Amino acid sequence: MGSGLSLFTNGSSSSPSRERDLLKPGLGDLPESCVALILEKLEPVEICRFSKLNRAFRSASWADFVWESKLPHDYRSILEKILGGFPEKLRKRDIYNFLSRVNSFDDGTKKAWVDKRTSDLCLCLSVKGLSVTGIDDRRYWNHIPSDESRFSSVAYLQHVWWFQVDGEIEFPFPAGTYSVFFRLHLGKPGKRFGWKVCNTEQIHGWDIKPVQFQIWTEDGQHSSSQCKLTEPGTWSHYHAGDFVVGKSKSSSTKLKFSMTQIDCTHTKGGLCVDSVIVYPSSCKDRLRRF
């Protein structure tokens, strides 16, 4: 009986600690509403990562108010601009997933997306959506395929006396400060035996006089800059200027921009024009990976 009592006592001595372990709360015990409040404070990438922890986090990661805070303020207007209308019965996470992808509109000449870290709006306009002097004359310009462009092709200038590229866009930009860049390449890019090569034979005229970049907005903002093009063999982003969209603005912003070198004392050539990029000024350091 003593040995039986001893065995019973020893066996039961560990049960309280086991019970304490079982009673100790874990992440899976958090109410879904509390988890959603936690997720609301995280960045979108982190929300998706934490949604894989357990069922509570997965369910909370679909809460509309969590993703409402990650969407641009004018997300309805942005969707209508891209799609031509607002799709009903979409959850906010679905809307965010759509906007965070690169979406084409205006016959594929423009692309828009939301930065996954900051939820800021980004735009890219193809050279085919711009007004380029002499673009239809094959003596001066050609469209060439390129796997280094978001639009699969770029415009290559052989030679011209009067160089002018203009463009404009009207878009519901959310409040913030934006920077405008021209994406250019000195020399004709190509491939040989799978390796990237650059033909520099036709590069001329860009080191004689600077190119002028300008932007204008309908509310009177104007910015300009100028520089000589001197970096052959690489895609470069040339800063045209910045503009600000105020928090009180409820309509679309009309933006115009240009790139000119109209000194007719010499010809210019050997330049690829890919696109114009409108990027949140706070994120412009990421253009290197564009």
Side-chain angles (χ1 to χ4, degrees):
M1 183 175 178
S3 60
L5 180 61
S6 174
L7 181 60
F8 176 80
T9 304
N10 291 337
S12 62
S13 62
S14 60
S15 58
S17 62
R18 288 177 185 166
E19 290 177 1
R20 283 195 297 271
D21 290 340
L22 292 173
L23 294 174
K24 191 182 295 182
L27 287 175
D29 299 310
L30 288 173
E32 186 177 313
S33 57
C34 292
V35 174
L37 290 172
I38 295 171
L39 295 180
E40 186 186 15
K41 307 300 181 183
L42 303 179
E43 292 183 358
V45 175
E46 294 173 326
I47 294 173
C48 295
R49 188 178 298 137
F50 276 97
S51 68
K52 300 176 182 178
L53 280 177
N54 54 46
R55 185 178 299 174
F57 274 78
R58 184 166 57 254
S59 298
S61 71
W62 279 94
D64 274 351
F65 79 87
V66 170
W67 293 99
E68 183 92 37
S69 64
K70 311 305 174 187
L71 289 168
H73 178 69
D74 297 332
Y75 70 88
R76 291 185 66 94
S77 299
I78 295 172
L79 274 177
E80 288 173 358
K81 183 70 173 180
I82 295 173
L83 297 175
F86 187 80
E88 300 296 337
K89 297 182 180 179
L90 275 183
R91 300 189 69 172
K92 297 300 188 294
R93 179 168 172 170
D94 291 324
I95 294 174
Y96 181 87
N97 286 337
F98 176 82
L99 289 178
S100 64
R101 298 195 300 266
V102 178
N103 300 286
S104 299
F105 62 105
D106 281 0
D107 297 323
T109 62
K110 300 178 180 66
K111 295 180 184 289
W113 67 98
V114 166
D115 185 87
K116 290 183 179 180
R117 292 186 184 177
T118 64
S119 298
D120 291 323
L121 179 73
C122 308
L123 276 178
C124 188
L125 297 83
S126 166
V127 66
K128 290 185 177 181
L130 308 179
S131 175
V132 183
T133 300
I135 191 67
D136 295 323
D137 195 325
R138 295 292 295 273
R139 293 174 300 173
Y140 307 121
W141 288 91
N142 286 299
H143 287 284
I144 60 175
S146 173
D147 59 5
E148 296 179 313
S149 169
R150 286 187 181 272
F151 300 95
S152 302
S153 69
V154 299
Y156 177 68
L157 172 66
Q158 298 176 92
H159 69 92
V160 74
W161 290 90
W162 183 285
F163 178 86
Q164 185 165 355
V165 179
D166 298 300
E168 65 177 70
I169 187 171
E170 188 169 351
F171 202 86
F173 290 98
T177 302
Y178 297 85
S179 299
V180 180
F181 299 88
F182 280 77
R183 188 171 188 259
L184 311 172
H185 186 286
L186 270 180
K188 189 175 183 179
K191 283 189 176 182
R192 183 177 300 163
F193 304 115
W195 294 88
K196 292 181 182 180
V197 295
C198 177
N199 186 335
T200 61
E201 292 179 359
Q202 292 181 313
I203 298 176
H204 66 282
W206 304 109
D207 57 345
I208 298 175
K209 292 289 182 67
V211 173
Q212 184 175 33
F213 301 94
Q214 296 188 81
I215 66 168
W216 302 265
T217 62
E218 60 185 346
D219 60 359
Q221 298 181 66
H222 174 253
S223 181
S224 66
S225 62
Q226 59 180 19
C227 68
K228 295 179 180 179
L229 310 186
T230 59
E231 299 181 25
T234 183
W235 285 103
S236 300
H237 297 92
Y238 291 88
H239 185 212
D242 299 339
F243 66 97
V244 178
V245 178
K247 292 183 178 179
S248 60
K249 187 173 179 59
S250 57
S251 59
S252 295
T253 297
K254 191 171 184 178
L255 172 70
K256 294 184 178 182
F257 40 83
S258 74
M259 173 186 175
T260 56
Q261 216 293 17
I262 55 178
D263 185 337
C264 293
T265 60
H266 63 283
T267 62
K268 285 75 68 173
L271 178 70
C272 281
V273 181
D274 173 40
S275 57
V276 171
I277 302 166
V278 184
Y279 225 62
S281 297
S282 60
C283 304
K284 60 185 178 182
D285 59 316
R286 296 184 207 163
L287 281 173
R288 289 173 237 166
R289 293 171 286 174
F290 190 88

